[in-house]
Amino acid sequence: GASAILVATLARQVWAQWQERRTEGVSSWLFIGQIVASAAFAVYSVLVDNPVFVFTNSVLLLTAITGQCLYLRNRRLEKKGDA
């Protein structure tokens, strides 16, 4: 349940970034931290042979990577608009 709430929260942020195409109020460090944490938790989950957490942390990792990519795209679009 807790993992579903976290995935939903991150997914909502990523969706908003995709639709709004701006970075205002969003920190790249949020996604960088989430990428590192999710990758570490996924590796740990593999090591302890817990498929539920391997799946959950992999989904969180993909969500964070998508968020970071959108953040970088939106920054690029904002800079083009300033030029």
Side-chain angles (χ1 to χ4, degrees):
S3 294
I5 291 168
L6 184 55
V7 169
T9 302
L10 284 171
R12 177 67 181 107
Q13 178 63 49
V14 168
W15 178 257
Q17 276 188 251
W18 180 72
Q19 283 192 314
E20 295 172 10
R21 295 181 179 253
R22 56 192 179 106
T23 60
E24 182 181 335
V26 179
S27 171
S28 177
W29 289 105
L30 165 74
F31 294 113
I32 292 169
Q34 186 64 47
I35 289 167
V36 172
S38 294
F41 279 126
V43 168
Y44 175 76
S45 299
V46 168
L47 293 174
V48 297
D49 195 28
N50 188 324
V52 171
F53 283 112
V54 170
F55 175 78
T56 300
N57 288 306
S58 296
V59 169
L60 288 169
L61 177 60
L62 291 174
T63 304
I65 290 170
T66 302
Q68 181 66 7
C69 290
L70 287 171
Y71 178 86
L72 294 172
R73 178 204 68 176
N74 292 346
R75 287 278 308 246
R76 209 170 36 251
L77 290 173
E78 289 172 350
K79 286 184 181 185
K80 274 186 181 178
D82 290 343

